[in-house]
């Protein structure tokens, strides 16, 4: 048997905002310990709490020393798998997090740059998913809640480690949560595919992926 060449850190979130499930915790639970290509997946579920989620993420980064990091979050109301293009340096919570924290207009990292780009091949991921008939689109905003907070903190933590590719993907609800939704089987397949593409694509493809609005 071939030994794994390296680790892929895959994170999800616990349920939040009164929900009893979060599709991303389910996906991560299914993929933890799996091999994707020559990599081994390390799955971690983060608390949906400003600050605490980042502490857990940094511990996971230290322990697993991954070559690739993909953080996942639920985006209720979206119909597609959406790799995020950019993380912005602001927390602005419309609802309290799971610890009752609700920061408004505060930077994720004081003095940090306004934004960090994802270093995942977001366009290639979208193209590969669409080829499998899985609805996908590049998203231009990860919002300003805990997901963007984790995404920004991830890219900030890795800013001097350009060899480690990293980014964030939002996913739709599960069918039990509302509509639009995607089955757990499709979500899991999509994330495996996205991870494979991210692991093997050095240079992202250049296709127009933006929407007018
Ligand atoms: N989605 C939220 C936080 C946790 C999650 O799964 C967000 O989009 O910010």
């Amino acid at each position: 048997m071939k030994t794994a060449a390296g680790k892929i850190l895959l994170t999800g979130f616990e349920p939040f905002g009164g929900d009893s499930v979060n599709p991303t915790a389910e996906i991560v639970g299914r993929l933890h310990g799996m091999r994707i290509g020559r990599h081994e997946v390390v799955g971690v579920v983060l608390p949906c709490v400003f600050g605490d989620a980042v502490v857990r993420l940094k511990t996971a980064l230290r322990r697993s020393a991954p070559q690739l990091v993909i953080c996942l979050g639920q985006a209720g109301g979206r119909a597609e798998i959406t790799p995020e293009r950019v993380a912005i340096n602001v927390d602005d919570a419309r609802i309290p997090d799971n610890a009752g924290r609700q920061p408004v207009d505060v930077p994720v990292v004081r003095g940090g740059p306004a934004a960090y780009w994802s270093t995942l091949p977001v366009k290639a991921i979208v193209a590969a998913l669409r080829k499998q008939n899985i609805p996908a689109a590049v998203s231009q905003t990860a919002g300003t809640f805990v997901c963007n907070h984790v995404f920004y903190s991830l890219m900030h933590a890795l800013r001097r480690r350009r060899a480690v590719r990293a980014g964030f993907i939002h996913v739709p609800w599960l069918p039990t949560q509302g509509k639009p939704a995607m089955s757990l089987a499709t979500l899991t397949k999509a994330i495996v595919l996205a991870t494979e593409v991210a692991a093997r694509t050095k240079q992202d493809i250049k296709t127009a992926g933006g929407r007018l609005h």
Side-chain angles (χ1 to χ4, degrees):
M1 208 169 86
K2 271 199 274 177
T3 51
K7 300 275 170 65
I8 293 173
L9 178 61
L10 192 67
T11 74
F13 278 102
E14 63 185 13
F16 69 100
D19 262 329
S20 56
V21 291
N22 187 320
T24 64
E26 307 297 319
I27 298 165
V28 162
R30 282 193 163 195
L31 298 182
H32 175 71
M34 253 189 60
R35 286 276 176 85
I36 293 182
R38 292 178 62 221
H39 298 76
E40 183 191 329
V41 176
V42 177
V44 174
V45 177
L46 304 175
C48 188
V49 176
F50 285 99
D52 295 8
V54 176
V55 171
R56 188 80 61 86
L57 173 71
K58 286 185 175 167
T59 304
L61 282 173
R62 254 195 323 275
R63 286 198 185 140
S64 59
Q67 292 170 342
L68 173 67
V69 187
I70 301 183
C71 296
L72 304 173
Q74 162 191 317
R78 287 193 192 171
E80 305 118 334
I81 304 280
T82 46
E84 298 292 346
R85 188 195 292 265
V86 62
I88 60 173
N89 193 12
V90 66
D91 292 332
D92 188 2
R94 193 174 41 82
I95 56 169
D97 68 12
N98 286 0
R101 297 176 194 157
Q102 194 169 5
V104 172
D105 292 351
V106 296
V108 180
V109 175
R110 214 178 311 137
Y116 285 109
W117 303 115
S118 171
T119 53
L120 299 180
V122 292
K123 298 277 180 81
I125 290 171
V126 166
L129 292 172
R130 287 181 177 167
K131 219 166 157 187
Q132 299 292 317
N133 293 319
I134 300 173
V138 171
S139 164
Q140 320 299 348
T141 174
T144 52
F145 193 49
V146 184
C147 286
N148 174 74
H149 177 83
V150 160
F151 182 18
Y152 186 93
S153 302
L154 168 70
M155 303 316 293
H156 187 73
L158 294 175
R159 68 195 180 283
R160 289 191 197 94
R161 280 182 273 165
R162 299 299 294 182
V164 182
R165 306 192 92 182
F168 199 99
I169 302 178
H170 264 118
V171 306
W173 275 321
L174 289 169
T176 51
Q177 296 178 280
K179 274 185 181 163
M182 248 183 222
S183 72
L184 183 56
T186 303
L187 287 172
T188 307
K189 183 179 162 192
I191 297 310
V192 169
L193 201 58
T195 308
E196 283 169 357
V197 171
R200 69 164 186 254
T201 311
K202 294 263 176 296
Q203 182 86 50
D204 200 5
I205 56 172
K206 218 174 179 104
T207 53
R211 292 191 173 136
L212 291 182
H213 303 287

